[in-house]
Amino acid sequence: MAKKKNNLSKEFYDVVIVGAGPAGLTAGVYAARYKLKTLIIGELPGGLISEAYEVCDFPTYEKILGMELSNKMIDQVKKNGVEIKPERVESIEKENDLFKIKTYSEEYQAKKVILAIGTERRKLNALGEIKFIGKGVSYCATCDAPFYKGKVVAVVGGSDASLTAALLLAEYAKKVYIIYRRDKFFRAMPAWIEQVRKNKKIEPIFKANIKEIYGKEFVEGVKLDTLKDLKLDGVFIEIGSVPEKKLSEKLGLKTEDGYVVVNKRQETNIKGIYAAGDITNNPLKQAVTACGEGAVAASSVFEDIKMTQE
């Protein structure tokens, strides 16, 4: 029997950046300016910030749509000559002093790797949640809000993301509930809380959790642990994110609660692998801090490559 042909091609880079959010894109810009041969691989160009309704705390912008901000970052990366491949990295292997980065169809080799894989949406784990994904259950108000014009929806959570999702949905829906397990908004910025309070379409429901999301083909309502039953057309889940663990676990990276441990140079415990952005154990998960970490990681890569050439 003939052996199956391996169609994986191999391309060599100074650094491959895994993740195309603010951390990865900023690292790409800095790496390009350091004249490093650079590739960015990421399933979602722009990262989760592209799904944000509005960003109001990024320098130079009083207010900007998340998608607009991510598109500006992507455009800057491309203008610096860095290619972005919208693929999923399946594995990273170290062989001597080089790394092999494999996607479904390609294999790349690099001297250094920057992990900027970010986080993924946390699931509510309520009965019916998985069944109705795409049928009334959503994790992205920016993506799906226009489908709920004149309808009744609920947002689950009490963070900035939850409140901004509710404000966006209120531009389309006739009624928006915010279901939150605490007795008041605890984590959100006061500015967002004030806007929510002023919006007559939005009604918070405190000290409540969703026990079940029900319906026939599509969402029709939710049952709360307060025994209240809400008739709804859609449920938007905004209860935070969890770190992407698959690659870090396979590589044997040191982690804290799933987040990759880094030093001030964004180095991990494995020589040649750096990490930046929401995947790291640094406490503040914001676009501006992710950008800073991406810049530091690229600088460290440049310095370390330069040292080996001297």
Side-chain angles (χ1 to χ4, degrees):
M1 183 182 291
K3 290 184 178 180
K4 186 177 179 180
K5 186 177 179 181
N6 186 350
N7 293 320
L8 293 178
S9 63
K10 295 182 180 180
E11 296 183 55
F12 184 82
Y13 293 87
D14 289 314
V15 58
V16 167
I17 300 165
V18 183
L25 295 173
T26 305
V29 170
Y30 273 74
R33 295 182 67 81
Y34 284 127
K35 303 300 180 185
L36 299 176
K37 185 176 181 184
T38 305
L39 174 68
I40 298 175
I41 306 173
E43 285 187 282
L44 179 62
L48 288 180
I49 198 171
S50 64
E51 298 177 356
Y53 170 40
E54 288 181 347
V55 179
C56 300
D57 48 12
F58 196 86
T60 75
Y61 295 107
E62 180 182 348
K63 183 188 298 185
I64 185 171
L65 298 177
M67 181 63 73
E68 185 182 357
L69 180 59
S70 64
N71 284 340
K72 287 178 179 291
M73 290 183 179
I74 291 168
D75 186 54
Q76 185 180 19
V77 167
K78 291 180 177 179
K79 285 180 178 177
N80 275 275
V82 176
E83 184 179 7
I84 303 173
K85 286 187 176 288
E87 302 176 23
R88 181 178 181 84
V89 171
E90 300 293 336
S91 67
I92 301 173
E93 299 173 3
K94 189 172 185 180
E95 190 174 281
N96 298 320
D97 291 329
L98 293 177
F99 293 92
K100 291 182 178 180
I101 302 96
K102 293 181 180 180
T103 66
Y104 176 75
S105 59
E106 301 285 341
E107 179 180 303
Y108 310 95
Q109 291 187 347
K111 296 176 184 176
K112 309 290 183 183
V113 172
I114 298 175
L115 278 185
I117 50 180
T119 56
E120 58 187 4
R121 299 289 192 183
R122 189 188 297 274
K123 299 296 189 293
L124 187 62
N125 295 323
L127 186 65
E129 176 183 4
I130 303 302
K131 175 183 177 181
F132 291 108
I133 290 177
K135 298 178 180 179
V137 170
S138 174
Y139 302 87
C140 179
T142 305
C143 309
D144 298 332
F147 298 119
Y148 292 87
K149 187 173 183 179
K151 297 186 177 182
V152 179
V153 299
V155 176
V156 185
S159 65
D160 288 341
S162 308
L163 271 59
T164 55
L167 289 166
L168 171 60
L169 286 161
E171 295 183 13
Y172 299 92
K174 65 180 179 181
K175 180 73 175 181
V176 180
Y177 294 100
I178 302 179
I179 302 170
Y180 189 38
R181 60 191 176 88
R182 294 179 179 267
D183 59 357
K184 62 180 179 180
F185 293 123
F186 176 73
R187 295 167 53 204
M189 290 184 178
W192 293 125
I193 296 173
E194 185 178 359
Q195 286 192 43
V196 164
R197 285 175 176 165
K198 289 180 178 179
N199 196 307
K200 295 181 180 179
K201 285 187 177 182
I202 300 175
E203 180 183 338
I205 300 177
F206 293 114
K207 299 177 70 173
N209 296 280
I210 291 179
K211 300 297 288 184
E212 180 183 353
I213 302 170
Y214 65 84
K216 294 178 182 178
E217 292 185 23
F218 298 90
V219 168
E220 295 177 9
V222 298
K223 294 180 181 179
L224 306 180
D225 58 1
T226 59
L227 303 181
K228 189 173 184 177
D229 191 315
L230 287 179
K231 299 298 182 183
L232 301 170
D233 300 295
V235 180
F236 289 79
I237 300 170
E238 288 283 358
I239 56 172
S241 302
V242 293
E244 170 60 61
K245 298 180 182 179
K246 181 180 175 183
L247 289 177
S248 57
E249 287 180 349
K250 281 186 176 181
L251 284 164
L253 296 176
K254 183 179 179 181
T255 61
E256 288 180 353
D257 298 324
Y259 295 95
V260 177
V261 176
V262 294
N263 61 17
K264 291 181 179 180
R265 301 182 73 247
Q266 303 301 134
E267 294 172 303
T268 69
N269 61 301
I270 295 180
K271 186 176 176 62
I273 298 183
Y274 310 75
D278 287 359
I279 191 61
T280 73
N281 65 323
N282 291 326
L284 186 60
K285 311 297 183 185
Q286 294 285 306
V288 66
T289 53
C291 290
E293 290 181 26
V296 172
S299 176
S300 298
V301 166
F302 171 69
E303 289 172 359
D304 292 344
I305 289 177
K306 186 179 178 181
M307 282 178 57
T308 62
Q309 295 173 342
E310 290 178 349

